[in-house]
């Protein structure tokens, strides 16, 4: 069965420090991968999505970047965090191709607080 | 363009009351999927249901039921005899038929449901 792992679960980082959040998927190949952010009390904002290795699309100009060095690994990074980067970050995957659409499966999320 | 509207920002009910969460969508596609996700206080999004645009049968799963009406572009979610554990944020979402080429789920803004004992 497919599983998605996301870590760390919580993170407190000072302003100006770097960030690296990792997400891995098991039990499937060539998944579509997504990074979402949820600010406190807000909806889900799509940050990046990827349809393959080194194929990243950015939805919103950010202080963030994403990389996909391996098929089932998706990394969210920042060189210098801002206070506004605080939020709840969710990774998700979906099946790639013309098969039946089961939507997304989400990771457990990372709660980032920038202080 | 696709769009999902959840007009109810927050709903408060007392335990055992029935509650309906509204979802209205817009799409030009003839084939699409609709979803509901639950986000409990822990934060993880939990899949509840998906519905293909060709299947307008309503669905019931325990205390949960979903009413899909293409004529009004709505996919409403009803919880019968609500419980405190139902307290969460609920998201309605829409996608094109196939999740290839990075097709994305479009989420509504979410409805916060508070069930008081």
């Amino acid at each position: 069965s497919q599983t998605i792992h996301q870590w760390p679960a919580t993170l407190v980082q000072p302003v100006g420090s770097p960030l690296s959040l990792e997400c891995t998927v098991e039990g499937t190949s060539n998944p579509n991968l997504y990074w979402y952010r949820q600010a406190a009390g807000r909806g889900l904002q799509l940050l990046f999505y990827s349809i393959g290795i080194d194929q990243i699309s950015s939805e919103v100009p950010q202080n963030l970047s994403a990389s996909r060095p391996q098929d089932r690994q998706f990394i969210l990074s920042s060189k210098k965090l801002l206070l506004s980067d605080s939020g709840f970050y969710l990774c998700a995957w979906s099946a790639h191709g013309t098969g039946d659409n089961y939507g997304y499966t989400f990771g457990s999320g990372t709660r980032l607080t920038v202080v | 363009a696709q769009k999902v509207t959840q007009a109810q920002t927050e709903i408060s009910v007392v335990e055992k009351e029935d509650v309906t969460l509204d979802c209205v969508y817009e799409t030009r596609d003839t084939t699409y999927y609709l979803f509901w996700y639950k986000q409990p206080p822990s934060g993880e999004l939990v899949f509840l249901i998906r519905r293909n645009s060709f299947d307008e049968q309503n669905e019931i799963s325990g205390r949960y039921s979903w009413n899909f009406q293409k004529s009004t572009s709505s996919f409403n979610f009803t919880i019968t005899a609500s419980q405190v554990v139902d307290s969460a944020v609920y998201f309605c979402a829409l996608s094109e038929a196939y999740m290839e080429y990075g097709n994305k789920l479009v989420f509504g803004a979410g409805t916060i449901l508070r069930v008081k004992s």
Side-chain angles (χ1 to χ4, degrees):
Chain A
S1 63
Q2 303 91 356
T3 55
I4 178 169
H5 303 279
Q6 191 180 339
W7 67 94
T10 58
L11 195 57
V12 179
Q13 292 283 99
V15 169
S17 64
L19 173 73
S20 180
L21 302 181
E22 190 160 341
C23 172
T24 59
V25 180
E26 295 177 358
T28 187
S29 59
N30 197 25
N32 295 324
L33 295 171
Y34 309 84
W35 277 111
Y36 278 84
R37 178 170 63 195
Q38 187 178 30
R42 299 283 188 88
L44 297 162
Q45 180 187 38
L46 178 63
L47 300 177
F48 301 95
Y49 69 93
S50 170
I51 62 171
I53 293 175
D54 294 330
Q55 294 178 279
I56 313 290
S57 295
S58 174
E59 285 291 295
V60 182
Q62 298 283 343
N63 178 43
L64 303 167
S65 62
S67 61
R68 185 170 176 174
Q70 300 178 43
D71 181 43
R72 290 169 288 178
Q73 183 185 31
F74 205 24
I75 297 171
L76 183 69
S77 304
S78 174
K79 292 183 179 177
K80 288 186 179 181
L81 283 169
L82 306 171
L83 286 173
S84 58
D85 292 324
S86 294
F88 189 58
Y89 289 81
L90 285 158
C91 180
W93 76 272
S94 68
H96 186 95
T98 57
D100 211 359
N101 182 345
Y102 288 92
Y104 291 4
T105 299
F106 284 88
S108 53
T110 296
R111 202 167 298 280
L112 172 66
T113 304
V114 183
V115 297
Chain B
Q2 298 180 324
K3 184 179 177 182
V4 177
T5 301
Q6 294 180 257
Q8 303 150 309
T9 305
E10 186 169 335
I11 302 175
S12 289
V13 298
V14 177
E15 221 174 3
K16 297 184 184 177
E17 283 184 16
D18 298 346
V19 58
T20 296
L21 309 181
D22 297 332
C23 173
V24 175
Y25 62 93
E26 296 175 28
T27 180
R28 284 183 240 174
D29 297 326
T30 55
T31 303
Y32 51 88
Y33 283 83
L34 294 162
F35 302 83
W36 276 94
Y37 288 86
K38 174 182 179 180
Q39 186 179 38
S42 61
E44 184 174 353
L45 265 81
V46 178
F47 166 82
L48 294 178
I49 190 173
R50 70 171 187 143
R51 174 64 69 218
N52 182 301
S53 56
F54 294 119
D55 181 2
E56 288 194 69
Q57 270 193 328
N58 291 329
E59 181 156 341
I60 298 174
S61 176
R63 295 184 297 107
Y64 294 172
S65 62
W66 290 269
N67 184 345
F68 176 33
Q69 293 197 350
K70 286 179 78 170
S71 60
T72 56
S73 297
S74 65
F75 187 42
N76 297 338
F77 173 31
T78 297
I79 302 175
T80 303
S82 60
Q83 300 176 1
V84 173
V85 293
D86 296 327
S87 298
V89 183
Y90 291 86
F91 291 96
C92 181
L94 164 71
S95 81
E96 298 172 18
Y98 303 120
M99 299 297 276
E100 61 176 319
Y101 309 123
N103 287 350
K104 299 175 286 294
L105 275 183
V106 175
F107 284 90
T111 297
I112 300 171
L113 175 63
R114 301 189 196 280
V115 182
K116 304 173 185 176
S117 59

